[in-house]
Amino acid sequence: METNWGNGKKEQNGDRIINLPDPILHQILSSIDMKCVVQMSILSRRLRDLWTYLPYLNFDHELFPIEGNNKKEYFMDFVDRVIFARNGATIQKFQLFGGSYCDFDRIDSWVGVAVRCKVQELHLNFSTRRPVLMLPHSLFTCKSLTVLKFNLGSDSNRPELILPDSSALTGLKTLHLGSFSLVDGELAGKFFSSCPVLETLIITNCSLLTTTKDLHISALQLKKLVIEISVEDYEGFGHIQIFNGPVGCKIKISAPNLTSFRCRDYMARDYTIENICFPYNADMDLILKNQLDNELTALLSDSNELLSESKEIHAKYVVDWLGRFYDVKALSLSSLFIWVISDVRGIIEKGLPAPFFDLRYLKVKTTLYAVTIRGILYLLPRCPCIESLVFEIAGKNYRLSQIYQSWDEAKLNIPAKHYWESLFPSQCSLNHLKSLEIWNLFGYMHEVVLLKFLLKNAPVLERLTIHPSDEWKYDEDNRLVEFGKELQTFPRASPSVKTLLLSPRSKPRPCVHRTANE
Amino acid sequence: MASAKVFVLRTCDGETFEIDESVAYVSETIKNMIEDGFGHDLIPLPNVSSKILLKVIEYCRKHVSNFESSKKTSNGDEKDKDNDSWKKEKEAVPEVEKDAEEKARVEELKEWETTFIDIDQQVLFDLLQAANYLNIKGLLVMAAEKAASMIRGKTPEQIRETFNIKNDFTPEEYEDIRKKDAMNDFTPEEYEEIRKKIADNHFTPEEYEQIRKENAWAIE
């Protein structure tokens, strides 16, 4: 029986999908919601009972076709029925998006069943209203488990998570925990450290406000670590915490095989990163305790005033953090930290660590003000072996954009040009810099001064890549082409620099591409 | 530097293809064959046609694991190692947001993949079979996800039409299944019993003892 697919072809053997071998068919259905798989049972004999032994279980309340007051009961019943009908068949992956449509007791029992079915991957996302949560104890003896992803709460409720201090999770390689708070950092640390083959540990939207005991993570196989602490109103806990003291809980990481560490946390927290065997990548988003400080720094342009905490305290943060980056080969820093560096650069000469000889790649994500340019210029000489430099200029500050001059005003506005140029030292040795990349260039005079400075001081530069900001989309006077031409005239220390000026679209597509010696 | 080793693959329709060692090793099957010593002559692939092998090689070339050329960003992720962009957007635990450079890289890969997998059904099924036989996990996952995208959001009847699935039930069987659905099977009493069975731990006595010992901390 021939059928027209709609592309003009007529196919003879139509139902190839039914005749696919089990592994392929299961893989195809591995991301399909269970309701759909059950409904597919009317299509053919092959699919009739497939839902009772498909080793991938996906339940998503958003795809559940019932609405109204009974949705919760129906949804939980559906999960129960599917689980029961499966009669203990192996589960490779169990994924649940329960939202607020699941009682934790039921989840507890489903996890128990999944464990008995030798589940390998468990992905649970729900938002409980309970203040405290204890994961089912059977979970911690599940030897088949390789991936555990658990999102417990939401921004409005981060339940306290009670973890055991040890486990028999001998196969667990990946652990993600999201939206929770830790009351006992020590116990949590012991738990993380007890997973012998753990390679990826990701903690997001985690609150450490109420723990006083330090979190020690000691993991021999750990490669990727992400710690993202939830930003909370610190002032609310003022009566417990010492305002000028370190953030309560210290974090210690001992991971000889660490390759990547991503951290979003208070600058004030005391971190120790030790026993590292190889240079690793660090992506740091450090914030200040006072939420108002975090916001204000975005508004201030040239202020030399530090906000809530004293310069000395901030200087200590900077010295401590710079000391922690010693083993890093690729470092990414965000604007607040650059801003603080700039503010304290006059008083931190004592006690500074040696330059970062291992650092090859530096990414700076910040708006460019005089303040942040000073901070960047402070850092550059400390990274003598840098090979790749990336600037991601953060979003536009509308207040300041009134003040900032555009690059093509340089001939007219000499005082402004001199002001920006005075920020830069006469030279800086970037003797190993091969690649320079700028994202989200607006075309301000100070951006151009910075660019010129770098070009002049990088004798072995090979590649310059510029991604203009989206604003250039509205460029009707072809100023981008003008800019490109101007770009070719900048003096450069390196004899051959391949310059790529991309067009302002989300997809990188070259708009102007020339070599310097054309 | 010594030139990279080259291997010759022969398809079921008699054509031969030369590929570098690094490209060949993307397929676990071919890798094993080479390691077992079958690389000196032609490597026969009787289950793969030349049309499909071309597609497969295109995939392998894009996904060669080459540490010198792969771009490392500051968070240490190597380029397209696990075909992450093909995983469903919704993740159980949302990870920290990507920055501009990472987003651009993911976008670029997604674009490549969308174009690559824009093929008609027959080629898709051939590709699935080939990826399974050649044991190329990333390709299998990508192709399977394409097939899944043709299922998602459709009613059973629409799915039947898309894939031309023959209804091989007898009329009686069909009626029977239509009535039965995971939602309508059990009486409330039967259902309570089921719930209890799921909630109780149905371990064997030995399993239970072991767990008691390992988890003395948790058992009240």
Side-chain angles (χ1 to χ4, degrees):
Chain A
M1 200 165 100
E2 293 176 16
T3 320
N4 195 327
W5 290 115
N7 62 357
K9 274 205 197 144
K10 288 200 176 177
E11 303 293 343
Q12 229 106 26
N13 32 337
D15 56 357
R16 275 189 74 181
I17 192 169
I18 295 302
N19 296 320
L20 287 173
D22 266 352
I24 302 181
L25 193 52
H26 289 184
Q27 181 66 44
I28 293 175
L29 297 174
S30 66
S31 61
I32 302 289
D33 187 73
M34 212 53 207
K35 197 79 185 84
C36 180
V37 180
V38 169
Q39 285 171 343
M40 282 171 77
S41 58
I42 62 160
L43 292 180
S44 117
R45 283 218 161 99
R46 174 93 193 276
L47 296 175
R48 177 179 180 168
D49 297 321
L50 192 73
W51 63 275
T52 62
Y53 58 87
L54 184 68
Y56 302 96
L57 294 172
N58 292 299
F59 298 102
D60 186 346
H61 76 277
E62 281 180 7
L63 297 175
F64 198 67
I66 312 262
E67 285 307 326
N69 294 331
N70 294 328
K71 178 168 177 175
K72 191 173 180 184
E73 280 309 310
Y74 274 118
F75 181 66
M76 294 194 292
D77 286 355
F78 175 65
V79 178
D80 279 340
R81 286 166 191 273
V82 170
I83 289 180
F84 184 72
R86 293 182 86 255
N87 234 346
T90 327
I91 299 179
Q92 203 161 309
K93 177 174 166 186
F94 184 104
Q95 176 167 278
L96 171 72
F97 285 91
S100 47
Y101 291 94
C102 281
D103 291 332
F104 188 67
D105 295 330
R106 300 283 271 274
I107 295 179
D108 200 292
S109 63
W110 297 333
V111 170
V113 173
V115 167
R116 296 202 290 284
C117 297
K118 299 193 178 33
V119 66
Q120 291 173 39
E121 288 195 33
L122 193 55
H123 299 222
L124 299 173
N125 178 308
F126 60 99
S127 50
T128 181
R129 290 212 203 108
R130 292 187 177 200
V132 179
L133 219 56
M134 192 174 197
L135 298 179
H137 63 260
S138 59
L139 186 57
F140 301 110
T141 56
C142 181
K143 298 206 192 326
S144 56
L145 200 62
T146 58
V147 175
L148 175 60
K149 296 190 187 183
F150 216 146
N151 192 62
L152 289 74
S154 59
D155 280 341
S156 51
N157 180 39
R158 290 185 200 91
E160 184 193 310
L161 180 62
I162 311 238
L163 293 166
D165 64 355
S166 68
S167 70
L169 290 166
T170 50
L172 192 68
K173 280 193 173 167
T174 300
L175 177 62
H176 281 219
L177 291 172
S179 302
F180 64 105
S181 64
L182 283 180
V183 155
D184 192 336
E186 191 181 345
L187 207 62
K190 283 193 181 157
F191 169 69
F192 297 140
S193 310
S194 76
C195 302
V197 296
L198 192 66
E199 289 182 11
T200 301
L201 175 60
I202 299 179
I203 300 170
T204 58
N205 200 14
C206 169
S207 165
L208 293 178
L209 270 186
T210 48
T211 177
T212 48
K213 297 204 200 135
D214 300 339
L215 174 64
H216 287 201
I217 300 172
S218 171
L220 283 177
Q221 302 298 332
L222 192 65
K223 294 200 177 110
K224 179 174 173 184
L225 175 63
V226 175
I227 296 180
E228 192 215 4
I229 303 297
S230 60
V231 178
E232 291 171 284
D233 184 8
Y234 211 82
E235 297 307 294
F237 283 80
H239 67 285
I240 303 175
Q241 308 295 336
I242 306 163
F243 188 68
N244 281 329
V247 168
C249 158
K250 297 185 195 163
I251 295 183
K252 187 159 159 185
I253 299 159
S254 172
N257 282 301
L258 193 67
T259 58
S260 122
F261 177 39
R262 196 165 207 167
C263 176
R264 175 160 212 259
D265 201 346
Y266 294 105
M267 231 176 273
R269 195 180 308 280
D270 189 339
Y271 271 81
T272 309
I273 304 168
E274 59 184 12
N275 295 333
I276 303 291
C277 286
F278 311 105
Y280 62 99
N281 302 341
D283 187 341
M284 312 299 300
D285 185 7
L286 299 169
I287 54 179
L288 297 168
K289 273 189 287 185
N290 190 319
Q291 183 64 332
L292 203 60
D293 290 352
N294 289 325
E295 285 159 10
L296 278 179
T297 53
L299 293 176
L300 292 170
S301 60
D302 220 333
S303 169
N304 284 320
E305 295 294 309
L306 259 183
L307 300 166
S308 311
E309 289 184 307
S310 70
K311 257 195 162 102
E312 279 72 34
I313 302 245
H314 281 194
K316 182 174 188 304
Y317 295 162
V318 169
V319 172
D320 285 347
W321 276 106
L322 290 181
R324 289 171 194 137
F325 296 151
Y326 199 67
D327 288 316
V328 173
K329 78 172 191 298
L331 180 64
S332 173
L333 294 174
S334 56
S335 59
L336 273 173
F337 191 60
I338 306 285
W339 195 89
V340 173
I341 289 179
S342 170
D343 220 70
V344 303
R345 71 192 189 283
I347 62 172
I348 57 171
E349 287 312 311
K350 268 193 273 178
L352 270 181
F356 304 121
F357 292 115
D358 278 332
L359 195 65
R360 298 280 175 276
Y361 172 106
L362 177 66
K363 181 191 285 192
V364 172
K365 296 188 266 200
T366 180
T367 331
L368 289 179
Y369 309 123
V371 171
T372 49
I373 288 179
R374 286 199 192 101
I376 294 165
L377 290 172
Y378 182 81
L379 275 177
L380 282 180
R382 314 206 65 77
C383 317
C385 305
I386 208 112
E387 291 176 13
S388 181
L389 191 52
V390 177
F391 290 94
E392 277 190 23
I393 299 174
K396 188 168 178 170
N397 183 321
Y398 285 97
R399 262 187 53 207
L400 295 172
S401 60
Q402 313 297 328
I403 321 173
Y404 284 154
Q405 306 80 12
S406 164
W407 60 275
D408 44 10
E409 290 175 45
K411 298 199 178 71
L412 304 169
N413 196 339
I414 306 291
K417 182 161 170 281
H418 281 170
Y419 167 72
W420 291 115
E421 285 173 351
S422 70
L423 292 180
F424 292 83
S426 50
Q427 62 174 42
C428 167
S429 49
L430 296 166
N431 293 328
H432 301 265
L433 190 67
K434 293 197 188 127
S435 164
L436 175 60
E437 196 165 346
I438 303 182
W439 290 80
N440 215 22
L441 186 94
F442 285 100
Y444 290 135
M445 197 186 291
H446 58 275
E447 292 172 349
V448 166
V449 175
L450 172 65
L451 185 51
K452 282 185 177 171
F453 172 77
L454 293 169
L455 284 171
K456 255 177 50 193
N457 285 287
V460 299
L461 191 69
E462 293 170 12
R463 284 183 310 279
L464 167 64
T465 311
I466 298 181
H467 306 256
S469 83
D470 279 345
E471 299 233 328
W472 292 89
K473 273 195 295 214
Y474 310 113
D475 161 32
E476 280 148 2
D477 305 316
N478 262 327
R479 286 174 70 238
L480 192 60
V481 174
E482 285 305 311
F483 182 76
K485 288 188 191 156
E486 183 84 17
L487 187 58
Q488 295 307 324
T489 67
F490 297 168
R492 46 202 76 191
S494 159
S496 73
V497 180
K498 184 165 148 189
T499 309
L500 207 62
L501 176 62
L502 300 173
S503 66
R505 262 172 266 165
S506 53
K507 300 168 202 165
R509 232 163 245 145
C511 124
V512 170
H513 179 181
R514 297 188 199 110
T515 58
N517 302 329
E518 217 170 276
Chain B
M1 190 170 93
S3 60
K5 271 213 199 122
V6 159
F7 295 98
V8 183
L9 309 172
R10 192 181 63 199
T11 60
C12 63
D13 46 347
E15 287 204 36
T16 54
F17 295 84
E18 261 188 28
I19 54 172
D20 287 346
E21 181 181 41
S22 55
V23 175
Y25 271 36
V26 178
S27 154
E28 285 293 319
T29 306
I30 296 180
K31 182 169 177 246
N32 292 337
M33 282 165 102
I34 292 171
E35 285 175 349
D36 288 344
F38 293 105
H40 305 293
D41 310 305
L42 296 173
I43 298 175
L45 302 174
N47 296 342
V48 188
S49 71
S50 52
K51 176 179 177 189
I52 296 302
L53 189 60
L54 267 170
K55 264 317 235 191
V56 170
I57 291 174
E58 189 190 338
Y59 175 88
C60 293
R61 288 213 169 107
K62 182 83 178 169
H63 291 79
V64 164
S65 171
N66 182 336
F67 287 108
E68 277 84 13
S69 69
S70 77
K71 187 161 188 227
K72 285 199 175 134
T73 58
S74 66
N75 67 3
D77 290 342
E78 284 150 36
K79 200 175 182 181
D80 52 78
K81 223 168 171 208
D82 289 296
N83 259 320
D84 276 311
S85 54
W86 271 100
K87 286 192 186 145
K88 219 174 136 193
E89 288 297 338
K90 203 169 171 181
E91 275 287 335
V93 187
E95 245 201 73
V96 273
E97 253 205 62
K98 295 189 189 318
D99 59 32
E101 197 180 8
E102 294 167 292
K103 277 190 187 148
R105 192 165 43 89
V106 169
E107 264 310 304
E108 198 224 316
L109 185 61
K110 259 203 172 122
E111 237 190 88
W112 183 89
E113 289 179 348
T114 310
T115 319
F116 177 84
I117 210 75
D118 183 20
I119 50 185
D120 64 43
Q121 259 196 47
Q122 292 310 309
V123 179
L124 181 62
F125 289 125
D126 288 334
L127 201 58
L128 276 165
Q129 304 265 33
N132 188 40
Y133 168 65
L134 293 170
N135 199 347
I136 304 171
K137 179 150 190 265
L139 181 56
L140 181 65
V141 168
M142 191 207 296
E145 175 52 38
K146 172 75 178 177
S149 70
M150 293 155 73
I151 294 175
R152 219 173 269 132
K154 293 199 167 99
T155 65
E157 278 318 306
Q158 289 169 331
I159 297 172
R160 187 192 289 291
E161 214 188 289
T162 305
F163 296 100
N164 198 30
I165 300 175
K166 281 201 219 73
N167 184 346
D168 53 358
F169 294 116
T170 66
E172 295 81 26
E173 284 175 323
Y174 190 73
E175 265 320 294
D176 197 40
I177 294 177
R178 276 197 68 102
K179 282 195 225 140
K180 260 193 202 176
D181 170 276
M183 299 298 294
N184 295 325
D185 260 348
F186 307 112
T187 66
E189 294 78 21
E190 280 175 328
Y191 189 66
E192 258 319 293
E193 220 194 287
I194 292 167
R195 283 219 37 226
K196 265 192 69 200
K197 275 193 185 166
I198 294 175
D200 291 341
N201 286 331
H202 263 194
F203 296 122
T204 65
E206 296 79 29
E207 284 177 56
Y208 194 72
E209 258 325 287
Q210 174 154 21
I211 289 165
R212 274 199 65 104
K213 277 188 229 154
E214 286 178 20
N215 293 288
W217 60 271
I219 299 173
E220 296 87 16

